[in-house]
Amino acid sequence: MAIYKWPAADGRPRRWSRIYLLVLCAALYYYYSGSAAFQLANYRPLDPEILAKRERIIAQCRYTRTPAGPPRNFHSRDHSDRYVPDTKPTLIKNARIWTGGQNGTEIVQGDLLLQKGLIRAVGNFPLHFLENFQLEVVDAHGAWVTPGLVDLHSHLGVGSAPDLTGADDTNSYKAPILPWLRSLDGLNTHDEGYELARSGGVTTAQILPGSANDIGGQGFVIKLRQVKERSPTAMLVEPPFTLNGTYFDHDLPPRWRHMKHACGENPSSAYSMTRMDSGWEFRLAYESARKLRDAQDKFCSKVEAGLWSGLGDFPEDLQWEALVDVLRGKVKLSVHCYEAVDLDMIVRLTNEFHFPVASFHHAGETYLVPDLLKKTWGGAPSIALFAANFRKKREAYRGSEFAPRILTSHGLSVVMKSDHPVVNSRYLLHEAALAHYYGLPENVALLSVTVNPANAMGLGHRLGRIQEDVVIWDSHPLSLGATPLQVFIDGIRQFQTPHVSVKPPFAQRCPDTPKFDKEAAEAFEYEGLPPLTPKSAQRAVFVDVGGVYTRSNGELAIHQNPEVVVAHSGKIVCAGTRMTCSEFLNDEIVIIDLEGGVIVPGYTSYGSPLGLTEIRLEPSTNDGHVYNPLARDPPAIIGDTLIRAIDGLQFEGRNMLLAYRGGVTASVVAPSGDFVQGVSTAFSLGAHHLLENATIKSDVALHVSITMNGAQSVSTQIAALRHLLFGTGGDEMLERVRNGRSTLVVDVNNADIMATLLRLKAEYENRTSKTLRLTFAGASESHLLANEIASAGVSVIVTQPKPFPDTWDERRILPGPPLTADSLVSVLLAAGVNVGVGLTNEFEARHLRFEASRVVLSANGSIDLATALKLVTTNLEKALGIHDTMPQDLVAYPGGHVFDFEGKAVAVISEQLGRIDLFV
């Protein structure tokens, strides 16, 4: 209130104005004191229900403005909220414990005590106070122990295995903006993936909705152990108090909530939108949430001022309340974004509406824009990445295996995640190990699947460190094929009788990975598309060679320890001493020091559609899908001409060149299709085009696919195959198969269908007195018929060496240690089956040698390294009928490391192309 003084003519206040002010003050005093007295005389206490309602509103307003996080006394708890009564304490003795402390560098030698769902002691502590405990004692014998792995991005339970229509709850397609949906409401407790994930050391996962929507809904964090209640809710870790309504005890601080956003190609394709549409949808949604938040804040301001008259109820809207909490900073937001354009849009959105992002997921181009990420409102998010799953769509085409190391160098928190079932969560640790292989520091690689994802979920106070869950490993966690010996979740052991495959001594140390500094720098310089075509030479000498393996009549021949190996025009012209090879040495020859390394046959890829598929989800970059005549109504049989893969080959694709740099020199590919796929071809991955002597064998085998997921019934598909075999005429390749001169390769996973095919083979051979050369590819359930397959002389190409029951056809997999003593390949080899190994995804082909090595490491000594080499060379080639036509293409590895994370190919000696290709 302003009090004005009326001045006199000379500028001085008039005297009567002073009297007026005194009278006014007296009147005001009289009025207010009298009113108060009146109110006091007529005071009536408020109705108890009104008082209770006001107390609830006051508590609700206070809770609304309270930051999320654990209570202050959290670390003084004496038991876990997930503790199962009567669970015995466990003492793990003689362990090498990676704690997650000191930025991932702390390693403690000693013991570890689990009690009441918590880790109560670590290191060298007195044991006398445990005398009265009924302990379970586990002697780790010096094995590595880590916290349980944390998967920041998983669809376990909502995208269940096997994949059945009745359990597909990953995405809703009702609208682009759905923040009110909850993944918990679709969580299937019978997913086969839970046990497999536990067998890989994963103890906790954030279950997110899919990425079909701009805002897909709320995620929830679960522990992966089986629970007595058998309910999804019983699996939750710190669910938000608002889960079952708004009326609850507001004395505790809010728990973190979780939500999924997505941008880019997925929402655009799901709703026929552009990126501009998605940007508007986001802004419109956040504006709706902002208005509700502001209404709540205005309401609570009146409450705090005691202005109850006409106030009404607290403003609420069930659809937008979760997004309001995003604006209040109470939600750990996971955002699916690949490209810089999408990342930039989300960063601008955060600054427009003032909310933080916990983590960007997939994030293929984040390594190219680290400074942009730091402009996110509230601070830079964690970056959740694949190790190598790139190029399947345009927005992922610039993804790089060097992204984790580059982002780390810019001070950003890196997380490796599965996106299960895109990558089987069981192999989450392999993602970290692969990132380490390409240059991510050891401590950060381990942090990326423990501490960092736990922090990104807001649960670092209990997860990701040595606090609740632990895993005992059979080897160093970053070694190839590291497998749990035992897993403890909430203090409960997860495997009653785990199966162990003994690992070699070198696997107990962290791999000494090769240097990729040049490649990492080029990935950044060329914005994810560095040049991959190797330099070539006509002559090269390899010195300090530890051994040479060559193909010889479809087998492997070993030549031990030549001092030098001289190659000319793609052939070895001398292997011996410097003296014996002196005539080939001159000043112009390229010299490569192998440091005791080896030269081995180049691997042959099968299953990966190299040369036919470049960007899987961009049809214009691929050969396309073969028409299936059985899809017609009524079904028809193929015509006289088969589709041939050689007619659709494309060269110098990025997946092809990366596979070549990974030691894969040849590939056998068949057209993509259902039932009759066509005729495969074998070609050189190093060729620049088809006419550069690229073809090893133009027509390799006839390929068909028989599956329970086909356009027609299994019996219809078998009937059509029988018609093809017993018929006459048709394509020349079909005649070759009928006469036993070419191989029939059947893509099949189900053991019952394989049994039918074995019966058909016997029927054909009995009736025609001809041999049917048959190979099963895929063959996930072939262990159930191993002896029968061997007796029939049928070969098997295992294209999922990391088994997963993706479909009903594959539900009876043999997972291997620690769940089963044997794995698929070891069972087949023991039965006498000729076995090859392939991979189905084009981005995986470059790591074919790692998968061959994994087979060896899980076989408990029953498979040696020479056999591992055969799995991806001569055995595979025999299964396809081309073992006698393969060129003598060889690959050089320094240091003798072929099948582990310490090796890197440096050169290909290509007889097929008549040159030496150099990767150095």
Side-chain angles (χ1 to χ4, degrees):
M1 177 184 294
I3 298 177
Y4 295 93
K5 297 182 179 180
W6 296 95
D10 58 2
R12 291 177 296 174
R14 297 181 183 274
R15 182 181 299 276
W16 64 264
S17 65
R18 296 177 183 174
I19 298 172
Y20 171 79
L21 289 173
L22 290 172
V23 172
L24 178 61
C25 289
L28 289 171
Y29 173 78
Y30 175 80
Y31 173 80
Y32 281 112
S33 62
S35 175
F38 175 81
Q39 291 181 22
L40 186 62
N42 293 275
Y43 173 74
R44 297 289 185 274
L46 290 174
D47 185 284
E49 290 187 7
I50 296 177
L51 285 173
K53 179 180 179 181
R54 288 185 178 181
E55 287 298 321
R56 286 197 301 269
I57 290 174
I58 291 170
Q60 189 169 9
C61 284
R62 183 175 63 247
Y63 186 82
T64 296
R65 298 180 179 182
T66 303
R72 292 180 179 178
N73 62 348
F74 181 83
H75 291 294
S76 64
R77 58 184 179 151
D78 63 359
H79 68 279
S80 169
D81 55 335
R82 295 184 50 79
Y83 166 61
V84 177
D86 299 325
T87 300
K88 287 184 178 181
T90 298
L91 178 66
I92 301 175
K93 298 175 61 178
N94 304 319
R96 188 164 18 174
I97 306 162
W98 182 88
T99 69
Q102 299 178 14
N103 195 34
T105 63
E106 182 181 56
I107 298 172
V108 176
Q109 304 281 346
D111 305 334
L112 186 150
L113 176 65
L114 297 88
Q115 184 187 19
K116 294 187 176 180
L118 302 176
I119 297 170
R120 305 309 297 268
V122 178
N124 297 310
F125 50 87
L127 301 181
H128 60 82
F129 74 95
L130 302 176
E131 292 176 355
N132 296 325
F133 284 62
Q134 290 186 332
L135 284 172
E136 288 192 3
V137 179
V138 176
D139 193 335
H141 298 289
W144 286 93
V145 172
T146 70
L149 305 186
V150 180
D151 195 346
L152 186 63
H153 187 137
S154 176
H155 302 294
L156 273 166
V158 292
S160 299
D163 183 13
L164 298 172
T165 304
D168 184 4
D169 286 291
T170 306
N171 287 293
S172 170
Y173 293 91
K174 298 298 184 183
I177 304 294
L178 299 169
W180 45 85
L181 299 187
R182 306 186 298 185
S183 67
L184 178 65
D185 296 328
L187 195 67
N188 175 15
T189 58
H190 303 295
D191 188 343
E192 298 288 341
Y194 294 128
E195 182 181 45
L196 292 172
R198 290 195 300 270
S199 74
V202 180
T203 58
T204 307
Q206 178 177 215
I207 309 305
L208 294 169
S211 53
N213 316 93
D214 291 316
I215 302 181
Q218 300 164 48
F220 288 82
V221 179
I222 63 172
K223 292 276 189 92
L224 300 188
R225 70 171 172 86
Q226 291 182 320
V227 291
K228 185 177 180 180
E229 290 183 19
R230 301 177 182 174
S231 70
T233 301
M235 301 172 73
L236 295 177
V237 180
E238 292 193 6
F241 293 122
T242 54
L243 182 62
N244 296 314
T246 58
Y247 298 102
F248 52 88
D249 182 359
H250 291 83
D251 290 337
L252 294 172
R255 289 171 169 173
W256 285 108
R257 304 178 73 178
H258 304 86
M259 187 180 289
K260 173 75 174 295
H261 287 8
C263 48
E265 293 182 23
N266 286 19
S268 293
S269 62
Y271 293 98
S272 299
M273 299 189 301
T274 65
R275 284 176 164 83
M276 294 182 289
D277 294 313
S278 285
W280 172 246
E281 292 284 353
F282 275 120
R283 296 183 69 215
L284 194 62
Y286 271 100
E287 178 63 10
S288 299
R290 184 195 62 77
K291 289 178 179 178
L292 179 57
R293 181 203 61 188
D294 290 352
Q296 292 175 350
D297 288 348
K298 184 177 180 180
F299 176 92
C300 288
S301 294
K302 291 182 178 180
V303 168
E304 291 167 358
L307 303 177
W308 294 98
S309 178
L311 190 61
D313 294 326
F314 183 80
E316 292 183 290
D317 187 325
L318 198 57
Q319 284 190 312
W320 298 112
E321 59 85 22
L323 211 58
V324 169
D325 268 359
V326 174
L327 294 178
R328 295 193 184 281
K330 297 181 179 181
V331 178
K332 292 296 184 180
L333 195 59
S334 298
V335 183
H336 162 126
C337 267
Y338 279 91
E339 291 190 272
V341 59
D342 301 313
L343 295 163
D344 185 68
M345 182 270 288
I346 292 293
V347 169
R348 284 187 282 105
L349 187 72
T350 69
N351 284 284
E352 180 179 1
F353 290 96
H354 291 185
F355 63 89
V357 171
S359 49
F360 280 123
H361 292 232
H362 306 322
E365 292 188 11
T366 49
Y367 73 102
L368 298 175
V369 290
D371 292 334
L372 169 64
L373 307 176
K374 296 175 183 179
K375 295 178 181 178
T376 307
W377 192 91
S382 295
I383 311 301
L385 301 162
F386 290 122
N389 185 4
F390 314 122
R391 293 173 292 280
K392 66 182 177 184
K393 51 184 177 177
R394 191 201 65 83
E395 65 185 3
Y397 197 62
R398 294 177 186 267
S400 173
E401 62 273 32
F402 305 112
R405 62 181 283 173
I406 294 173
L407 289 163
T408 297
S409 72
H410 285 273
L412 294 160
S413 173
V414 168
V415 171
M416 306 310 297
K417 49 91 179 112
S418 74
D419 193 14
H420 179 95
V422 175
V423 170
N424 181 354
S425 187
R426 179 182 185 182
Y427 301 103
L428 175 63
L429 186 62
H430 180 69
E431 294 290 292
L434 206 53
H436 176 247
Y437 173 72
Y438 286 112
L440 187 64
E442 175 187 357
N443 64 314
V444 182
L446 291 172
L447 290 172
S448 73
V449 288
T450 52
V451 173
N452 291 358
N455 289 343
M457 295 190 303
L459 294 170
H461 56 281
R462 66 184 297 170
L463 301 177
R465 297 168 174 82
I466 296 292
Q467 297 182 96
E468 292 188 9
D469 309 322
V470 296
V471 183
I472 307 173
W473 299 94
D474 65 2
S475 51
H476 189 283
L478 296 179
S479 66
L480 182 59
T483 302
L485 298 171
Q486 187 57 267
V487 175
F488 291 88
I489 304 179
D490 300 326
I492 301 172
R493 68 165 64 212
Q494 297 303 297
F495 311 125
Q496 295 307 311
T497 55
H499 300 277
V500 177
S501 181
V502 178
K503 297 294 175 65
F506 70 81
Q508 300 306 321
R509 59 172 174 78
C510 185
D512 183 11
T513 56
K515 303 300 182 185
F516 286 98
D517 296 345
K518 177 177 179 289
E519 292 90 337
E522 289 181 344
F524 186 82
E525 178 186 355
Y526 290 93
E527 298 188 14
L529 302 177
L532 297 174
T533 304
K535 297 179 180 178
S536 298
Q538 282 301 303
R539 297 198 298 173
V541 58
F542 299 87
V543 301
D544 193 10
V545 180
V548 178
Y549 294 73
T550 60
R551 287 181 173 88
S552 177
N553 299 319
E555 298 293 338
L556 290 180
I558 304 173
H559 311 276
Q560 293 292 345
N561 302 324
E563 184 180 350
V564 297
V565 171
V566 181
H568 186 279
S569 298
K571 295 181 179 180
I572 293 178
V573 295
C574 185
T577 66
R578 289 178 181 269
M579 181 66 69
T580 57
C581 297
S582 60
E583 65 177 293
F584 300 100
L585 305 179
N586 58 53
D587 294 337
E588 298 179 1
I589 199 165
V590 176
I591 300 175
I592 301 173
D593 187 352
L594 289 190
E595 302 171 353
V598 294
I599 298 174
V600 300
Y603 318 125
T604 299
S605 166
Y606 176 83
S608 302
L610 298 173
L612 297 179
T613 298
E614 182 63 7
I615 306 175
R616 181 170 290 209
L617 299 182
E618 289 287 346
S620 65
T621 71
N622 306 325
D623 178 52
H625 205 70
V626 173
Y627 174 70
N628 180 11
L630 292 186
R632 293 168 52 182
D633 191 14
I637 306 299
I638 63 168
D640 291 336
T641 303
L642 294 168
I643 306 300
R644 281 169 162 73
I646 193 172
D647 297 328
L649 285 182
Q650 303 174 55
F651 288 81
E652 295 193 325
R654 302 197 69 79
N655 290 307
M656 182 187 294
L657 290 173
L658 286 167
Y660 192 55
R661 286 174 169 264
V664 182
T665 57
S667 182
V668 177
V669 294
S672 173
D674 302 318
F675 189 50
V676 176
Q677 299 168 330
V679 181
S680 57
T681 190
F683 65 99
S684 171
L685 298 188
H688 301 302
H689 52 78
L690 183 63
L691 301 181
E692 192 196 19
N693 201 32
T695 307
I696 297 171
K697 188 171 184 178
S698 58
D699 292 356
V700 173
L702 173 61
H703 295 255
V704 303
S705 173
I706 298 183
T707 172
M708 298 172 73
N709 303 313
Q712 293 292 340
S713 68
V714 172
S715 52
T716 300
Q717 295 170 68
I718 295 293
L721 179 59
R722 178 181 282 108
H723 176 85
L724 290 175
L725 291 175
F726 286 99
T728 57
D731 191 277
E732 178 188 357
M733 173 57 75
L734 188 53
E735 282 297 315
R736 290 179 61 85
V737 169
R738 289 170 180 157
N739 292 320
R741 292 186 291 123
S742 288
T743 303
L744 173 65
V745 180
V746 182
D747 282 352
V748 56
N749 284 302
N750 181 267
D752 299 301
I753 299 176
M754 282 184 260
T756 299
L757 290 168
L758 293 177
R759 181 172 174 269
L760 178 60
K761 172 179 163 64
E763 177 187 351
Y764 180 83
E765 292 176 343
N766 288 335
R767 287 176 55 182
T768 65
S769 299
K770 298 177 181 178
T771 299
L772 180 63
R773 292 165 53 179
L774 179 62
T775 291
F776 295 149
S780 294
E781 295 186 354
S782 57
H783 58 282
L784 299 174
L785 296 169
N787 292 326
E788 291 81 359
I789 292 170
S791 297
V794 173
S795 292
V796 170
I797 304 174
V798 174
T799 56
Q800 281 206 46
K802 296 196 291 270
F804 183 70
D806 188 43
T807 65
W808 190 256
D809 280 13
E810 304 163 278
R811 69 189 187 280
R812 296 173 292 187
I813 62 168
L814 190 64
L819 299 178
T820 60
D822 297 310
S823 59
L824 175 57
V825 173
S826 63
V827 168
L828 292 171
L829 287 173
V833 178
N834 177 61
V835 185
V837 168
L839 296 167
T840 56
N841 288 310
E842 56 275 13
F843 73 86
E844 290 182 305
R846 65 188 299 194
H847 297 138
L848 181 59
R849 64 191 177 97
F850 295 153
E851 296 312 315
S853 179
R854 185 189 301 279
V855 169
V856 173
L857 293 168
S858 66
N860 207 19
S862 64
I863 304 176
D864 58 20
L865 289 177
T867 302
L869 187 56
K870 292 178 181 179
L871 293 174
V872 290
T873 55
T874 54
N875 281 16
L876 175 67
E877 292 147 13
K878 287 176 184 177
L880 296 166
I882 56 172
H883 54 286
D884 55 352
T885 61
M886 294 301 294
Q888 194 68 269
D889 283 6
L890 302 168
V891 183
Y893 293 89
H897 303 288
V898 178
F899 290 111
D900 58 33
F901 281 142
E902 300 189 0
K904 174 185 177 184
V906 295
V908 170
I909 305 168
S910 178
E911 180 183 70
Q912 180 71 23
L913 301 175
R915 64 176 188 249
I916 299 100
D917 286 334
L918 306 173
F919 305 138
V920 291

